[in-house]
Amino acid sequence: MTHTRPSLGAVQETLLIPLYGRAAEHRKPEPALRDPRAVELVGAIDYDFSRFDELPSLTGSVLRTLLFDFWTRDFLSRHPAGTVVEIGTGLNTRYERVDNERAHWFDLDLPDVIELRRAFFRDTPRRRMLAASVTEESWLRVVGEQSGGPCFFSAEAVLPFLDEADVRRLVERIAAAFPGSWLALDSNLPRLIEAQDEHDALSKVEARLRWGCADIGVVAEWVPGSRVAGSHTMTTLPSDVRDALPPPSRRMLEELARRQLPQVEGYQMHLIQLP
């Protein structure tokens, strides 16, 4: 088998963590998420994934992906011909899991990530890769010119690596360019940003989080008329997501809820409806 060696920046390297998490989850006897493509990608990439073996945060990344999948499916159930924009797509395979064969998809990431992604994925009439920084405006114009219907922006494990000013500018730009759109994102309480050197996965890479958010309501206030449609921790997932988990995963969440660990409760996932 030909192996692809990734050449990625520090922040971009973190995309390999959730990829490995999905592959490891798929191999379990009772997986919370099935992702055979993730297994293929891990097998085709020349990288020491063993550094992430058995990390508790791998399971957290899988649960986060399940929630973002749930939100995306719900959006597409209401807007079958809508547009999904994966901000900081990495080697995400959400399209393979939830596409409805009608929606338009854009996979956005930095040029080095898109170069790696093109080794495994191809553009199609409904799906296109965009090489740009999320802080640029050019990709917004491309999406606006080629998208159809309402838009769902999925920013999974991306915005905490930006400065707050850049996060705010992005939210304002999306709201201005795509009225009535939806934005899914995750955030960390400031105390977790301060303690990130002790994080099981981040301690193994060079990238560091920059944006801490004490109250997601502040993000909604940046754009008057926005509302927080959903806000969850790993232990407060929507019942539709939690109830679909296999027994081992449900037992693990029950234990986490009992222990009330700061690193679990301080990490949150949100869905915001823009005006």
Side-chain angles (χ1 to χ4, degrees):
M1 176 188 295
T2 301
H3 285 75
T4 299
R5 181 183 294 273
S7 178
L8 300 169
V11 172
Q12 297 90 300
E13 183 185 7
T14 62
L15 70 85
L16 299 171
I17 300 172
L19 171 66
Y20 189 59
R22 298 196 309 275
E25 186 69 25
H26 180 86
R27 295 189 182 101
K28 291 180 179 180
E30 296 183 82
L33 175 148
R34 295 190 182 278
D35 194 340
R37 193 69 198 280
V39 176
E40 295 174 11
L41 294 176
V42 167
I45 294 175
D46 183 6
Y47 184 83
D48 182 17
F49 286 100
S50 65
R51 67 200 305 195
F52 306 133
D53 278 341
E54 306 301 328
L55 296 184
S57 61
L58 288 185
T59 299
S61 72
V62 169
L63 294 174
R64 177 186 65 215
T65 291
L66 283 172
L67 178 56
F68 277 57
D69 281 1
F70 172 75
W71 280 332
T72 307
R73 284 193 187 96
D74 181 66
F75 170 80
L76 292 178
S77 72
R78 291 177 287 108
H79 307 287
T83 296
V84 178
V85 182
E86 294 283 350
I87 295 175
T89 186
L91 290 176
N92 200 351
T93 51
R94 181 164 293 114
Y95 175 92
E96 283 72 15
R97 292 189 301 275
V98 310
D99 177 55
N100 64 358
E101 300 185 353
R102 292 181 59 189
H104 295 272
W105 292 73
F106 291 92
D107 293 315
L108 169 73
D109 216 316
L110 292 166
D112 56 348
V113 176
I114 295 300
E115 181 180 357
L116 174 63
R117 189 173 178 86
R118 288 193 183 280
F120 306 106
F121 299 90
R122 295 289 181 269
D123 287 345
T124 72
R126 291 192 302 106
R127 187 187 194 188
R128 178 179 174 183
M129 286 175 270
L130 299 176
S133 168
V134 68
T135 61
E136 298 172 7
E137 292 188 69
S138 58
W139 67 271
L140 289 162
R141 291 192 294 271
V142 173
V143 172
E145 292 167 357
Q146 301 184 16
S147 64
C151 291
F152 183 91
F153 294 86
S154 176
E156 182 181 357
V158 178
L159 303 190
F161 290 102
L162 302 179
D163 291 325
E164 181 174 303
D166 286 328
V167 177
R168 177 168 185 167
R169 193 173 299 113
L170 171 65
V171 174
E172 292 172 340
R173 285 173 174 171
I174 290 175
F178 303 95
S181 59
W182 296 78
L183 172 64
L185 70 154
D186 52 332
S187 67
N188 297 269
L189 293 182
R191 67 173 181 268
L192 295 189
I193 304 296
E194 297 171 0
Q196 63 182 301
D197 288 348
E198 301 170 9
H199 187 271
D200 62 346
L202 287 175
S203 63
K204 300 180 182 300
V205 296
E206 295 181 9
R208 285 296 174 266
L209 304 173
R210 295 152 71 179
W211 175 50
C213 180
D215 180 4
I216 196 62
V218 172
V219 176
E221 291 174 0
W222 291 341
V223 179
S226 300
R227 72 179 184 94
V228 179
S231 190
H232 304 274
T233 67
M234 296 299 178
T235 60
T236 62
L237 295 171
S239 58
D240 286 344
V241 177
R242 185 184 62 250
D243 294 347
L245 293 172
S249 298
R250 291 201 300 271
R251 289 194 294 269
M252 178 205 65
L253 287 181
E254 290 169 359
E255 175 62 17
L256 287 177
R258 185 187 65 80
R259 296 174 64 186
Q260 296 184 324
L261 299 174
Q263 62 268 36
V264 174
E265 301 306 318
Y267 177 75
Q268 302 174 350
M269 298 152 288
H270 318 280
L271 180 64
I272 296 179
Q273 183 179 20
L274 299 171

